[in-house]
Amino acid sequence: GNNLKSKSRSIPKNQDISVVFNYSKIKLTKAMESLLNRGFNFSILPLKLDITQVLVDFKRFERSVIWHEYFYGTEKDGDSKARIFKSKKNNMPKNYKTPEGLKTYLGSVKSEIMDHRNRNNVECNLPQEEIQAIKELIKLQKDKVIVIKPCDKGAGMIILDYPVYMRACYEHLAAEKPMGDGE
C-alpha cells in the first residue's frame, strides 16, 4: 500500500554536522571549527565587565532621558529631516533645571551600576581554545587573508581567501546585466 514513511537520509550519531564551508587555503583547527559551528548569532559573554564603557553608556542614557523630559509635551517639528548618520552629542539643555524626581532616579541607577555587589559573576561561555581561535580568525580577517560570510539562504557560513572574494566582488560589479532581471 501507500506507506508515508520519511525517506530522509539519517546521519550516524557519531558524525557531527558542520555548517562551515572552508574554501580558503587556511587549515581550520578543531577549536576554530567548533567556534564557527556555533553560528553567527552566538553571543559571547565578555571575559570581564568594562565598567568604563558601562558608565559611558549610562551618560548617553542620562542625556537622552533629560532631553526627553525637556521636550515632553511639545509637538515634534514635522519639517526637520531625519538624518541618515546620527552624530553623538553630549550637550544638555541650557537654562533648564532637571526635576528632582528625575535626578533622584538617575542617581539611584548610577549607584546601582557602581555597586559591585549587584554584578553577577559570570564566566565566559567559550572554552579557552575557542577564545584563542576567535582571536586567530579575527587577525586573519583584519590582515585580509580570509573572509567569513554567511552562505546564501542561511545555510551556514563560507570561508574564502580574501583575494578570491575581492575578485568575485569586482566581477559582480563589472557584470553588464543586473542580476535578477528574470531573463
Side-chain angles (χ1 to χ4, degrees):
N2 282 340
N3 199 352
L4 299 174
K5 284 187 178 176
S6 174
K7 292 186 178 185
S8 64
R9 286 189 282 150
S10 62
I11 296 167
K13 291 191 189 301
N14 61 353
Q15 183 180 346
D16 291 332
I17 301 169
S18 179
V19 295
V20 180
F21 302 95
N22 184 10
Y23 293 100
S24 72
K25 294 177 183 132
I26 301 298
K27 173 81 174 109
L28 295 179
T29 64
K30 287 276 186 208
M32 287 177 178
E33 185 101 15
S34 173
L35 172 76
L36 292 169
N37 270 305
R38 292 178 185 272
F40 284 115
N41 293 330
F42 181 74
S43 182
I44 302 168
L45 295 175
L47 295 173
K48 63 185 178 78
L49 178 68
D50 183 356
I51 194 68
T52 304
Q53 185 59 49
V54 171
L55 290 173
V56 167
D57 292 342
F58 174 75
K59 201 69 180 161
R60 293 196 68 216
F61 167 74
E62 182 179 36
R63 179 188 176 277
S64 172
V65 167
I66 290 172
W67 275 106
H68 273 83
E69 200 316 8
Y70 179 76
F71 283 117
Y72 181 76
T74 61
E75 288 188 33
K76 272 198 161 187
D77 187 10
D79 294 337
S80 62
K81 288 185 179 178
R83 293 189 177 146
I84 296 173
F85 301 105
K86 293 182 178 180
S87 57
K88 291 185 179 178
K89 298 179 180 179
N90 58 10
N91 63 325
M92 296 296 235
K94 289 184 179 157
N95 303 324
Y96 175 71
K97 186 169 174 12
T98 306
E100 284 304 313
L102 185 54
K103 281 184 185 177
T104 304
Y105 168 74
L106 292 170
S108 63
V109 170
K110 186 172 183 179
S111 174
E112 290 291 311
I113 289 171
M114 295 303 293
D115 189 354
H116 65 89
R117 293 172 297 183
N118 291 332
R119 296 190 197 124
N120 293 335
N121 211 0
V122 181
E123 293 191 18
C124 184
N125 55 351
L126 283 181
Q128 196 58 44
E129 314 85 63
E130 290 185 25
I131 293 172
Q132 190 56 43
I134 199 167
K135 289 178 182 175
E136 291 172 35
L137 288 168
I138 289 170
K139 183 174 180 351
L140 287 168
Q141 289 181 95
K142 282 184 178 175
D143 293 345
K144 296 183 178 177
V145 176
I146 61 169
V147 176
I148 303 173
K149 293 286 182 189
C151 293
D152 287 348
K153 315 275 188 296
M157 63 183 71
I158 186 167
I159 303 172
L160 296 166
D161 290 318
Y162 183 82
V164 172
Y165 175 75
M166 290 307 295
R167 190 171 343 115
C169 289
Y170 287 125
E171 286 171 5
H172 184 70
L173 289 171
E176 286 184 37
K177 276 202 300 191
M179 304 211 40
D181 275 357
E183 291 184 49

